């Protein structure tokens, strides 16, 4: 049995970087414990505030953000925390050499119906400043609070999957996750069809036509509404996740956030052999101009992502 600390020792000689992963893993274990008991503790519903993106914060969004901050605060190696739930970047330690960007609770609309939610994080070098391309990440991870609590991590090597034990420790389940190159499963919110661009319409129409269309094979569709849950399924058995630019989100640049949703997920999926794109460029090559910047997100099995890219090239 390989435990988290052993795995980290194999991935890096840098104990300071490893300590940031451990702090986030501890935060994830604490959030898992809170979520399990939340309906009993009355930690449900709205917090009564909106975040900088104008979204209503749930009580558990705020609690999860506090848990992450509490675990990072004592760590002298963390310079700055960027969070979906914090309007501004927060200084953690003036001497720290790492920036952490986090979506403390992803998929929070699924909380009150007991469907999988998650925590996403990205680790960047502090000397690169607040706005860095995803390709500069030193590592990333997510925790998926499902039937089991899973954690997926990557430094610069392979993407690994852990499970939380009843003792609060993390055990390695899969050392090298591998997203199958081909898949017949796609994830997109089809209720947004009337806003889609021609590339998205073209790709999905082909999928719906299945073996009777140009794709020549049958497709199935899954949409959890928690990016973490959708990406975890794709990481384990393949598929593609799309939250493309559409006519409603175009003015904001997309729906999902670059620094703490798209970049860490792209880092993890690419580490498992999958691909990531905005449709027109690799997600990890996008230069951010704002810490809460949004971006179109297309991630998953290489063949499927390549098909979407081909549709974007055709659209011009
Ligand atoms: P968050 O709860 O952090 O705001 O993120 C929700 C995101 C993502 O998890 C999910 O894929 C997407 O929003 C769902 O969007 P729709 O409501 O359009 O389905
Ligand atoms: Mn999110
Ligand atoms: Mn969130």
């Amino acid at each position: 049995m390989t435990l988290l600390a052993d795995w980290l020792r194999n991935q890096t000689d840098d104990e300071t970087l490893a300590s940031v992963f451990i702090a986030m893993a501890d935060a994830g274990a604490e959030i898992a414990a809170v979520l399990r008991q939340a309906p009993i503790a009355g930690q449900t519903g709205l917090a009564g505030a909106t975040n900088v993106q104008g979204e209503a914060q749930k009580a558990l969004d705020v609690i999860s953000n506090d848990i992450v901050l509490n675990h990072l605060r004592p760590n002298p190696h963390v310079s700055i925390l960027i969070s979906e739930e914090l309007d501004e970047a927060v200084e953690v330690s003036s001497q720290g050499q790492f920036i952490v960007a986090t979506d403390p609770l992803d998929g929070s609309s699924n909380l009150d119906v007991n469907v999988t939610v998650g925590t996403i994080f990205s680790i960047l070098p502090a000397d690169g400043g607040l706005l860095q391309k995803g390709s500069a990440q030193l590592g990333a991870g997510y925790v998926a609070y499902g039937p089991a609590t899973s954690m997926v991590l990557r430094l610069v090597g392979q993407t690994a999957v852990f499970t939380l034990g009843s003792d609060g420790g993390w055990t390695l389940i899969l050392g090298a996750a591998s997203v199958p190159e081909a898949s017949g499963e796609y994830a997109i919110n089809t209720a947004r069809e009337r806003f889609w661009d021609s590339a998205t319409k073209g790709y999905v129409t082909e999928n719906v036509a299945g073996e009777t269309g140009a794709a020549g094979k049958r497709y199935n569709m899954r949409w959890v509404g928690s990016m973490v849950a959708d990406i975890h399924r794709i990481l384990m058995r393949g598929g593609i996740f799309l939250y493309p630019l559409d006519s409603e989100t175009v003015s904001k640049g997309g729906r999902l956030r670059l620094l703490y949703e798209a970049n860490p997920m792209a880092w993890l999926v690419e580490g498992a052999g999958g691909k990531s794109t905005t449709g027109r460029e690799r997600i990890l090559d996008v230069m951010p101009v704002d810490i809460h910047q949004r971006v179109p997100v297309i991630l998953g099995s290489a063949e499927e992502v390549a098909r979407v890219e081909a549709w974007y090239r055709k659209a011009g």
Side-chain angles (χ1 to χ4, degrees), residues 28 33 41 43 60 65 100 109 142 152 154 170 174 194 200 215 228 296:
Q43 292 158 324
L60 286 164
N65 184 70
V100 177
S109 68
Y142 67 74
V152 174
R154 180 184 174 219
W170 296 95
L174 183 61
R194 67 195 165 101
T200 307
V228 165

Side-chain angles (χ1 to χ4, degrees), residues 214-258:
K217 68 175 184 190
R218 177 71 66 98
Y219 279 81
N220 205 357
M221 200 280 283
R222 289 285 181 271
W223 183 253
V224 178
S226 296
M227 186 195 200
V228 165
D230 280 312
I231 296 293
H232 194 63
R233 183 188 62 250
I234 289 166
L235 204 83
M236 300 309 284
R237 72 174 189 210
I240 182 170
F241 173 93
L242 304 100
Y243 216 118
L245 200 62
D246 61 34
S247 64
E248 198 181 42
T249 59
V250 68
S251 61
K252 293 176 170 175
R255 161 78 163 90
L256 298 174
R257 279 59 54 110
L258 177 59

Side-chain angles (χ1 to χ4, degrees), residues 23-289:
M24 289 306 300
D26 288 346
E30 189 176 337
I31 293 170
V34 167
L35 293 177
R36 268 200 298 275
Q37 300 289 327
I40 298 169
Q43 292 158 324
T44 54
L46 298 174
T50 50
N51 64 20
V52 68
Q53 354 234 347
E55 299 160 341
Q57 286 176 311
K58 300 259 173 137
L60 286 164
D61 283 322
V62 176
I63 292 167
S64 302
N65 184 70
D66 289 347
I67 291 173
V68 170
L69 198 50
N70 288 344
H71 282 271
L72 294 181
R73 277 246 182 262
N75 188 318
H77 308 297
V78 179
S79 156
I80 284 167
L81 176 67
I82 294 169
S83 167
E84 178 184 330
E85 306 306 337
L86 299 169
D87 299 3
E88 310 281 344
V90 166
E91 184 176 271
V92 177
S93 168
S94 57
Q95 302 299 314
Q97 59 275 50
F98 304 113
I99 294 173
V100 177
T102 188
D103 176 353
L105 203 51
D106 172 68
S108 45
S109 68
N110 275 328
L111 279 169
D112 295 344
V113 291
N114 197 22
V115 168
T116 298
V117 294
T119 299
I120 313 172
F121 67 94
S122 159
I123 305 176
L124 290 152
D127 56 13
L130 284 180
L131 302 174
Q132 301 180 54
K133 289 182 184 178
S135 55
Q137 287 173 105
L138 301 169
Y142 67 74
V143 181
Y145 310 102
T149 299
S150 299
M151 179 169 68
V152 174
L153 300 180
R154 180 184 174 219
L155 285 87
V156 291
Q158 289 173 309
T159 302
V161 182
F162 298 80
T163 296
L164 181 64
S166 49
D167 59 354
W170 296 95
T171 299
L172 184 69
I173 299 301
L174 183 61
S178 170
V179 179
E181 207 173 315
S183 168
E185 221 166 47
Y186 65 104
I188 189 167
N189 182 349
T190 57
R192 306 189 60 78
E193 185 171 346
R194 67 195 165 101
F195 304 120
W196 288 350
D197 56 21
S198 65
T200 307
K201 268 188 198 141
Y203 172 74
V204 175
T205 302
E206 248 177 38
N207 289 0
V208 172
E211 58 272 58
T212 69
K217 68 175 184 190
R218 177 71 66 98
Y219 279 81
N220 205 357
M221 200 280 283
R222 289 285 181 271
W223 183 253
V224 178
S226 296
M227 186 195 200
V228 165
D230 280 312
I231 296 293
H232 194 63
R233 183 188 62 250
I234 289 166
L235 204 83
M236 300 309 284
R237 72 174 189 210
I240 182 170
F241 173 93
L242 304 100
Y243 216 118
L245 200 62
D246 61 34
S247 64
E248 198 181 42
T249 59
V250 68
S251 61
K252 293 176 170 175
R255 161 78 163 90
L256 298 174
R257 279 59 54 110
L258 177 59
L259 266 62
Y260 40 81
E261 290 177 320
N263 276 341
M265 288 311 198
W267 188 257
L268 296 166
V269 166
E270 289 196 9
K275 283 187 68 168
S276 82
T277 183
T278 65
R280 303 192 185 277
E281 69 178 312
R282 183 178 173 231
I283 288 171
L284 297 175
D285 289 336
V286 176
M287 188 65 207
V289 293

